[in-house]
Amino acid sequence: MPELAFSRRAVLRGLGAAGLLTALTGCGVPAAYVPEDRRGAPDRSERDRSLSFSNWPLYIDTDEEDETRRPTLEAFSQRTGIEVRYTEEINDNDEFFGKVGPALMNHQETGHDLVVVSDWMAARFVRLGWTQKMDRAAQANVSAHLDPQLRSPAFDEGRLHTVPWQSGITGIAYNRKALGRELKSTADLFHPDLKGRVTLFSGLDESFALLMQGNGVDVTRWTESDFHRVCDQVEDLVRRGHVRRFTGNDYTSDLSKGDVLACQAYSGDAIQLQADNPDIEFVVPEEGAELWAESLLVPNLARHKANAEALIDHYYDPEIAAELAASVNYVCPVPAAREVLAGSDDRETAELAENPLIFPDDDMRSRLAVARDITSAERRVFAKRWNSIVGL
């Protein structure tokens, strides 16, 4: 199981990358934008059988007896002869954006062939023209097996430039035994008996969609007024002392210790929390919850694009996707992997196929939506207001 030391959907700190993005754009014109025909570089894939792949820590399968070994990567190298230089260097979306942004802005190589960032950050790369269009003709597994609900986010219609690595749900976690009742809706978080025992996410991108859904908003096309309505509500909750605090991934500690009874939470964390405490419940509210992804992309001027695309397609083989899902326990973006797990001789592995937090059932999917992301122009205004509320 992955540890819960940090949030992979990293908190927006101050204006963070939004400040850099503002510096890269003037008068609403994306000066740093790179047109499609200027993003590529001579591909060395055929003569140099290697690639550089950067990911978050604890976000890939490892061998139980030797954690330095990564079986699914080893299987790829054995099958293709391509060596993968795998690094766990992405600890924060904004930090990584700041690291590679100057090179991409100046049309220089980053040294990365393949990276994983949260979709709201991937949206910035796509809008700036900093990620290359993939060759889907060379990715039969992606074309056949990508989850239909993740195929066409607003920021990358048709998923031409990005592919989900893993997915997840932002919903509500609570201690049913301690609370003594069931939570079914986002509005239940704000019941008087939870005053001072609730936490919300501090990150703008992590928090806003679920709260809007609680207001009945279609988050695929939310508006500025929807955002400010949520801010007004949260300001009132803070003023009344209802929200204990705003958190990153440290909400798991508060819930485990009993300092809070209910909170915004991620589905991937809930699986481990439930393993430690069966009284912890995770709920997709009646009004809906956000389905999100963290996605693979090939940065501009990557020198091993074809090799990177081959690795992406490797992870969309249902057998490989099942092996990864069994290790990391996030929502699997390859629904066909469910049948692979169900056929396992290992009882615990087979049971994962029935876990709706890894393979959402039809009822749960009917309440999930991929939120429209925040544009760079909106972010300059929205981040300032949101951060003033949560104290960033």
Side-chain angles (χ1 to χ4, degrees), residues 78-340:
Q78 290 169 3
R79 179 174 62 83
T80 65
I82 298 171
E83 176 191 355
V84 182
R85 297 185 297 275
Y86 184 81
T87 57
E88 297 181 331
E89 67 171 296
I90 303 177
N91 291 292
D92 179 276
N93 285 290
D94 285 339
E95 177 186 316
F96 185 71
F97 182 92
K99 180 178 180 179
V100 300
L104 290 166
M105 177 178 62
N106 289 295
H107 311 292
Q108 299 170 348
E109 295 181 42
T110 66
H112 299 83
D113 296 306
L114 189 62
V115 301
V116 177
V117 294
S118 298
D119 267 2
W120 58 267
M121 178 57 70
R124 296 182 188 171
F125 278 76
V126 171
R127 290 201 175 102
L128 285 167
W130 288 1
T131 178
Q132 298 185 60
K133 185 176 180 180
M134 295 184 193
D135 179 8
R136 287 288 182 262
Q139 296 180 314
N141 286 327
V142 173
S143 298
H145 300 303
L146 173 57
D147 187 336
Q149 208 162 6
L150 296 170
R151 281 184 180 268
S152 193
F155 72 88
D156 186 19
E157 292 186 12
R159 282 285 183 185
L160 302 178
H161 302 87
T162 62
V163 175
W165 170 250
Q166 294 291 283
S167 184
I169 302 166
T170 300
I172 296 171
Y174 69 102
N175 188 318
R176 184 169 183 172
K177 182 177 180 180
L179 183 58
R181 61 185 176 86
E182 188 177 7
L183 296 185
K184 294 183 178 181
S185 74
T186 301
D188 288 341
L189 278 176
F190 311 130
H191 193 277
D193 67 354
L194 282 171
K195 181 177 181 179
R197 308 296 297 277
V198 170
T199 60
L200 301 177
F201 286 135
S202 57
L204 170 58
D205 297 271
E206 285 71 33
S207 194
F208 80 93
L210 182 73
L211 299 176
M212 284 185 186
Q213 287 167 303
N215 290 333
V217 172
D218 177 357
V219 293
T220 66
R221 51 182 184 179
W222 57 269
T223 66
E224 181 177 355
S225 62
D226 295 325
F227 170 77
H228 287 295
R229 179 184 177 194
V230 162
C231 287
D232 291 343
Q233 292 168 330
V234 175
E235 280 181 327
D236 181 61
L237 291 168
V238 171
R239 188 163 45 246
R240 292 191 282 111
H242 190 89
V243 178
R244 180 182 179 88
R245 68 189 187 101
F246 294 90
T247 71
N249 220 50
D250 48 344
Y251 76 90
T252 58
S253 175
D254 290 345
L255 187 61
S256 297
K257 292 187 298 184
D259 291 338
V260 303
L261 297 180
C263 56
Q264 283 188 313
Y266 303 132
S267 56
D269 293 341
I271 293 175
Q272 184 170 339
L273 289 168
Q274 291 167 342
D276 296 334
N277 183 351
D279 294 324
I280 300 297
E281 299 274 357
F282 181 86
V283 61
V284 171
E286 295 171 333
E287 309 94 337
E290 181 189 11
L291 178 68
W292 48 265
E294 286 165 328
S295 288
L296 298 145
L297 59 84
V298 179
N300 289 0
L301 305 183
R303 293 292 185 173
H304 304 89
K305 180 174 182 284
N307 290 346
E309 291 170 341
L311 181 60
I312 293 170
D313 204 54
H314 170 74
Y315 278 100
Y316 272 74
D317 179 322
E319 295 280 348
I320 300 299
E323 190 171 351
L324 181 60
S327 179
V328 301
N329 292 161
Y330 281 79
V331 173
C332 180
V334 182
R338 181 178 181 274
E339 293 183 15
V340 177

